[in-house]
Amino acid sequence: MKTKTPLSYRNKSVNLLLLGIKDPRPLLCFLAALTMIFVHGCSQENDTVVVDFSKTVAVERPGNRPSGHKFLRVAVGAMISPKETLIYYNQLLDYISDKLGLEVQLVQRKTYSEINELLGKWQIDLAFICSGPYVTGKEKYNFELLVTPQVRGSKFYQSYLIVNKNSLFNKFDDLRGRVFAFTDPESNSGKLVPAYWLSQMGETSESFFEKTIYTYGHDNSIMAVSKSLVDGAAVDSLIWEFYNNKNPVFTSRTRIIKKSEPYGIPPLVASRYLSQELKDRIRLMFLTLHKEDEGRRILDGLMIDRFIEPQEEWYNSIRQIIQRIATIEKSADALKKF
């Protein structure tokens, strides 16, 4: 049994007004869940706790498509900006509706895997998905890469390893035996990259950390680190940089102690069942979005320069990470049999 580090931050309060959160209920649920984890879960060793946000948003699940009804179902499974910018995504969907002459319905899900499954079943047509689920789901669900955003002149992003500004942690190994926050089991920047770093050290999350949790949101992970609710987290550089430019209340209380190599930015994909003619129209609309006044305004709100045509090779480094982790896990399973 590992020696437990006293969690002096269990009873810290959070001033939601200072955080600029219009609706504090999701964060209140998050904080309550974390409190339960630390109070009741610290007697368990090396277990991964899932923070369930499924009850914070009521979303109707899509059913079968009504015959003769022309509409697009669009999922925002991964946003390159914080959840507060959902208003701009809604405006983007309204823009798509006007340009294509189709009703557009927004679909939200808690996990990336749920979005992939809905794409495969043609219960959604388009989705903004994380780069990790794009790589893992492309072969299985055969969805099509349409466009990717360009942010600050770049088509790539990184994983940031962050800790509290006032902590004594300066490198990844300093987090050994500590509490760590992942975002989603299939997130590239929030799970795959730190798992890859651990594999390079001959470690796994179970052997390295005292406890891990899933926050299901990069903004949630940043908040948790800034309030010392967890000791460290791996987050999307785009989300961290967005906050640091727009509302640095969170990020100003964190430090970046490690950055990953660049990876292809989370893309927009289409279901394989969507007609090629409609996919071509959607692709062209996104590629010219920055040329329209309304489109430019929406992009500025999301801190996106423009949408560009992607290349499959941008995601090869993620494939290599997944293969590396799979090989290590296979070897570990083989050793357990002896």
Side-chain angles (χ1 to χ4, degrees):
M1 179 71 69
K2 292 183 179 178
T3 301
K4 304 299 181 182
T5 303
L7 301 176
S8 60
Y9 42 77
R10 290 177 183 171
N11 296 318
K12 286 191 175 182
S13 61
V14 177
N15 189 334
L16 296 178
L17 294 178
L18 289 178
L19 301 182
I21 303 299
K22 295 180 180 179
D23 182 0
R25 288 173 294 178
L27 281 181
L28 287 174
C29 292
F30 174 61
L31 291 171
L34 280 177
T35 301
M36 293 297 292
I37 291 167
F38 292 138
V39 173
H40 299 291
C42 288
S43 61
Q44 302 176 22
E45 184 176 6
N46 284 338
D47 54 335
T48 298
V49 180
V50 176
V51 181
D52 189 355
F53 291 89
S54 61
K55 295 182 181 180
T56 63
V57 181
V59 182
E60 180 183 357
R61 291 192 172 274
N64 295 327
R65 292 175 173 276
S67 58
H69 186 62
K70 295 184 177 180
F71 60 88
L72 285 175
R73 283 177 169 156
V74 183
V76 183
M79 295 183 283
I80 69 164
S81 309
K83 293 183 179 69
E84 288 92 316
T85 60
L86 185 57
I87 182 175
Y88 292 109
Y89 281 92
N90 281 319
Q91 292 173 4
L92 178 59
L93 298 186
D94 288 341
Y95 181 92
I96 296 172
S97 178
D98 291 340
K99 286 294 182 179
L100 298 179
L102 298 172
E103 177 187 346
V104 175
Q105 299 176 354
L106 174 64
V107 177
Q108 290 180 274
R109 288 294 180 268
K110 184 183 72 172
T111 67
Y112 297 153
S113 61
E114 289 178 284
I115 297 298
N116 277 9
E117 290 174 5
L118 292 180
L119 278 166
K121 296 176 181 177
W122 200 20
Q123 291 182 319
I124 53 176
D125 303 288
L126 303 173
F128 293 89
I129 63 174
C130 179
S131 302
Y134 169 70
V135 171
T136 58
K138 179 176 173 57
E139 183 175 347
K140 180 177 181 180
Y141 299 110
N142 198 28
F143 37 64
E144 182 175 337
L145 189 62
L146 289 185
V147 295
T148 57
Q150 176 180 289
V151 180
R152 293 185 294 278
S154 176
K155 52 187 177 288
F156 299 106
Y157 78 120
Q158 295 171 284
S159 174
Y160 284 176
L161 180 63
I162 61 172
V163 297
N164 188 274
K165 179 181 180 180
N166 298 320
S167 73
L168 299 178
F169 309 128
N170 293 302
K171 57 184 183 300
F172 196 15
D173 194 59
D174 292 340
L175 292 171
R176 184 182 298 274
R178 301 289 180 165
V179 180
F180 194 81
F182 295 120
T183 52
D184 183 279
E186 294 191 26
S187 170
N188 177 54
S189 58
K191 176 60 191 295
L192 295 179
V193 170
Y196 175 65
W197 288 338
L198 287 170
S199 73
Q200 292 177 312
M201 300 163 60
E203 301 277 2
T204 65
S205 60
E206 291 78 13
S207 67
F208 187 78
F209 298 116
E210 178 187 38
K211 187 175 293 296
T212 58
I213 66 169
Y214 287 109
T215 66
Y216 291 102
H218 293 281
D219 40 5
N220 289 329
S221 292
I222 296 170
M223 183 276 292
V225 172
S226 72
K227 289 295 178 180
S228 293
L229 297 171
V230 296
D231 296 303
V235 299
D236 187 324
S237 65
L238 299 172
I239 304 294
W240 193 94
E241 295 291 351
F242 187 102
Y243 270 125
N244 210 40
N245 281 276
K246 294 286 189 178
N247 182 14
V249 173
F250 284 167
T251 54
S252 64
R253 299 175 185 175
T254 68
R255 284 186 294 113
I256 303 168
I257 62 172
K258 186 178 178 64
K259 294 182 179 181
S260 73
E261 65 177 293
Y263 303 104
I265 278 183
L268 174 69
V269 301
S271 169
R272 70 179 184 270
Y273 299 107
L274 201 63
S275 72
Q276 190 60 51
E277 183 271 336
L278 186 51
K279 283 187 284 193
D280 290 341
R281 289 176 60 197
I282 294 170
R283 180 183 289 107
L284 179 61
M285 180 196 63
F286 272 95
L287 292 176
T288 57
L289 185 64
H290 63 288
K291 297 180 180 180
E292 302 278 347
D293 290 341
E294 177 65 10
R296 181 71 269 158
R297 186 186 65 79
I298 295 171
L299 292 176
D300 288 343
L302 294 170
M303 288 184 63
I304 296 175
D305 302 339
R306 56 180 295 186
F307 283 93
I308 59 177
E309 290 198 53
Q311 297 179 26
E312 194 64 47
E313 63 193 44
W314 295 350
Y315 303 94
N316 285 342
S317 57
I318 300 176
R319 292 186 175 90
Q320 293 169 3
I321 286 178
I322 294 173
Q323 291 171 0
R324 159 85 179 188
I325 295 173
T327 299
I328 291 175
E329 290 178 347
K330 185 177 180 180
S331 298
D333 289 340
L335 288 174
K336 290 179 181 177
K337 295 178 180 179
F338 290 98

